Amino acid sequence: MTDYVTVTADAPMGRTGAIKLFDKAAFEGMHRAGQLAAEVLDMLVPHVVPGVETQALDDMVRNHIIRAGGVPATLGYRGYTHSSCISINHVVCHGIPGSKTLKKGDIVNVDVTPILDGWHGDSSRMYLVGDVGVKAKRLVDVTYECLMIGIEQAKPGNHLGDIGHAIQRHAESHRYGVVRDFCGHGLGRLFHDAPEVVHAGRPGTGPELKPGMIFTIEPMINIGRPDVKILDDGWTAVTRDRSLSAQFEHSIGITETGCEIFTTSPKGFHNPPYA
């Protein structure tokens, strides 16, 4: 049985395992934090080009968030020392910025989570570096479609399994693999909270969606098999078969009639190539 708890924006926040149902003020806080995340990803568009070091992109992320009055949630999180995760080609998620330079044909995911006034705005987006191959571009397109098809199922009365099923069905119709090792999650004043949002499943299963729920949907889709492994750095997840992987992420809140996406792009940069 799923436990739910109604909370106000100013209530002390702790991890209890119960799914929090937030009030209007919390949604407003999440919208502000989500828009900062989206602004950061928009800002990066002209900079994700051949020859740029991923550490330089991470520096841009950190500086933009701090100038806006926020704090990067990942900076210092469980010993992580960067302000973003930057995952290239066969890296599924949690790629660590460093001296690696991007090259023509790469596909890149940048994942950012600014904390603004105590609220976490969590979002990631794919970028195409120069001319990208047809197969890679198709993977990126389908992954974005998976995100939006999942969001279509995010409404009161549905279940988390409806979201996962819609994503899985669309990805597998293209013979892609849906990663199960990582999932979406509840958030708000906490970076990671209940519920877990798995991107595969059966309709009508899992917790019921109720107004006030806030969580991420962030499907990771592989051209090949869904299996992943973690590298020796303890963070970087890669496809076991070295196939390409893509991911998009939005933070959303369930409303009385559907859902609100907190992390929509102010510039309309939703799916690359960006204008």
Side-chain angles (χ1 to χ4, degrees):
M1 182 176 178
T2 303
D3 292 327
Y4 299 84
V5 58
T6 301
V7 295
T8 59
D10 57 357
M13 298 291 173
R15 232 173 247 98
T16 65
I19 296 174
K20 296 179 176 68
L21 304 178
F22 290 93
D23 63 7
K24 180 180 178 181
F27 270 56
E28 292 170 352
M30 284 297 298
H31 179 79
R32 292 191 297 272
Q35 283 301 284
L36 176 54
E39 289 166 10
V40 171
L41 296 177
D42 282 359
M43 174 272 297
L44 288 177
V45 167
H47 303 289
V48 183
V49 295
V52 69
E53 290 190 358
T54 55
Q55 182 57 57
L57 298 177
D58 188 69
D59 291 341
M60 294 176 199
V61 169
R62 182 181 65 255
N63 293 337
H64 191 101
I65 291 173
I66 291 172
R67 282 197 302 267
V71 177
T74 58
L75 191 58
Y77 179 78
R78 296 182 178 177
Y80 193 76
T81 57
H82 299 273
S83 300
S84 64
C85 295
I86 301 179
S87 304
I88 306 169
N89 294 333
H90 72 288
V91 178
V92 176
C93 62
H94 302 160
I96 302 174
S99 59
K100 183 177 180 62
T101 59
L102 301 183
K103 64 182 186 300
K104 181 180 176 181
D106 285 342
I107 59 171
V108 183
N109 178 270
V110 182
D111 191 343
V112 301
T113 308
I115 307 171
L116 186 64
D117 301 327
W119 299 99
H120 292 72
D122 195 357
S123 186
S124 83
R125 203 180 297 170
M126 295 300 297
Y127 299 81
L128 308 181
V129 184
D131 293 327
V132 170
V134 173
K135 288 184 178 180
K137 179 61 170 66
R138 185 59 184 151
L139 172 67
V140 171
D141 287 342
V142 171
T143 303
Y144 179 74
E145 291 165 5
C146 284
L147 171 67
M148 300 312 294
I149 285 169
I151 288 174
E152 287 176 3
Q153 298 299 316
K155 52 190 175 185
N158 272 8
H159 294 255
L160 284 177
D162 296 309
I163 295 173
H165 175 73
I167 291 169
Q168 180 182 4
R169 181 176 58 190
H170 188 66
E172 292 182 351
S173 74
H174 293 273
R175 300 189 177 183
Y176 294 156
V178 181
V179 173
R180 271 77 157 178
D181 296 69
F182 301 95
C183 60
H185 52 87
L187 80 167
R189 289 195 177 276
L190 297 176
F191 193 175
H192 297 101
D193 203 356
E196 290 188 345
V197 183
V198 181
H199 303 108
R202 293 183 293 111
T205 63
E208 181 182 348
L209 303 181
K210 298 186 178 185
M213 290 174 66
I214 293 175
F215 53 87
T216 69
I217 302 177
E218 46 185 296
M220 296 161 228
I221 310 298
N222 301 342
I223 278 184
R225 295 183 58 81
D227 310 285
V228 307
K229 65 178 180 179
I230 308 298
L231 300 187
D232 291 342
D233 58 33
W235 287 101
T236 308
V238 300
T239 55
R240 282 192 175 272
D241 60 7
R242 303 284 294 183
S243 63
L244 293 176
S245 184
Q247 179 192 22
F248 284 89
E249 175 184 15
H250 274 317
S251 297
I252 70 167
I254 302 298
T255 66
E256 295 291 341
T257 58
C259 73
E260 176 182 354
I261 303 174
F262 300 123
T263 46
T264 53
S265 165
K267 293 186 176 180
F269 295 158
H270 302 298
N271 185 30
Y274 304 118

